[in-house]
Amino acid sequence: MRLVVAITGATGAIYAMRLLEELKAKKVEVHLILSEWAEETLRIEMNMKKESLIELVDYYYLESDMTAPVASGSFQHQGMIIIPCSMKTLSGIAHGYAENLIIRAADVCLKECRRLILVPRETPLNAIHLDNMLKLAKLGVEIVPPMPAFYNHPVTIEEIVNQLIARILDQLGLEHNLVKRWGDTMKS
């Protein structure tokens, strides 16, 4: 499997890091695009430099590199995940304003009818945010906000993060054992 993963500057760098770890373990070929603000968020939230993420992926592109393979519909892949996805990026995708490689690669997914998964990070949401998400959902984009479930009785941040990553892996059809399934939690 070959995927494009983009990371914006929205809070939630831990989600991106965990997803990249899982994709590497599953030997998925990952093409990473990291926004300039994502680098700053990594530093603020995780005291980490982008090199820690880059070593988890196969290919890395600057968000300004509009010549990257992922900017073209002829580049074959099985989908794109933007995690976390800022409202600025979501808006750019919803309105076809491909000002950088992240939005251009997402636009390619839409025009080529490829899977596009967005993990929007904002709260509270205003009507503009909701309209943009609805517009994209109607186009087939999968909107997977980081909303924790508590039926597994999470105790650590890692358990809460794994729950979201499990949902993303489910969307991609990738096997995992990150969380117990709903029916399994009811058994004693």
Side-chain angles (χ1 to χ4, degrees):
M1 178 178 267
R2 175 190 281 173
L3 295 171
V4 178
V5 176
I7 305 171
T8 72
T11 188
I14 192 170
Y15 294 119
M17 180 71 168
R18 190 69 187 98
L19 176 65
L20 292 176
E21 289 170 346
E22 281 297 311
L23 293 176
K24 183 171 182 72
K26 295 179 182 326
K27 300 186 182 340
V28 173
E29 181 181 306
V30 174
H31 293 253
L32 176 67
I33 310 166
L34 193 66
S35 80
E36 180 181 330
W37 283 106
E39 290 183 44
E40 185 67 10
T41 303
L42 274 171
R43 186 189 65 74
I44 292 168
E45 293 183 355
M46 300 179 71
N47 196 28
M48 181 182 293
K49 294 187 178 186
K50 70 179 178 182
E51 289 74 20
S52 298
L53 292 180
I54 293 170
E55 61 189 37
L56 293 172
V57 303
D58 301 281
Y59 300 92
Y60 167 70
Y61 312 104
L62 299 172
E63 74 174 326
S64 61
D65 184 4
M66 298 299 272
T67 66
V70 299
S72 173
S74 67
F75 178 76
Q76 295 294 301
H77 60 86
Q78 285 69 52
M80 178 176 185
I81 304 110
I82 304 178
I83 180 170
C85 183
S86 68
M87 288 300 125
K88 176 183 176 185
T89 299
L90 193 140
S91 177
I93 298 165
H95 296 280
Y97 185 64
E99 70 169 341
N100 62 44
L101 184 59
I102 293 173
I103 301 171
R104 171 60 188 166
D107 190 56
V108 166
C109 287
L110 291 174
K111 78 181 190 73
E112 299 293 332
C113 299
R114 293 191 187 130
R115 171 166 270 146
L116 178 57
I117 299 171
L118 304 182
V119 180
R121 255 301 306 128
E122 187 65 76
T123 194
L125 298 167
N126 68 40
I128 295 168
H129 302 148
L130 295 168
D131 283 345
N132 286 337
M133 283 188 250
L134 179 60
K135 181 176 186 173
L136 291 171
K138 286 180 177 179
L139 293 173
V141 175
E142 296 162 77
I143 308 294
V144 184
M147 296 179 177
F150 295 97
Y151 55 83
N152 279 326
H153 306 284
V155 176
T156 66
I157 291 174
E158 181 181 19
E159 290 173 319
I160 293 170
V161 170
N162 279 346
Q163 191 269 334
L164 174 70
I165 302 309
R167 297 291 76 79
I168 293 168
L169 295 176
D170 285 349
Q171 293 299 306
L172 296 167
L174 293 171
E175 293 293 321
H176 64 83
N177 60 357
L178 293 176
V179 295
K180 290 181 183 177
R181 301 277 177 194
W182 170 251
D184 296 338
T185 62
M186 301 299 110
K187 299 173 187 170
S188 40

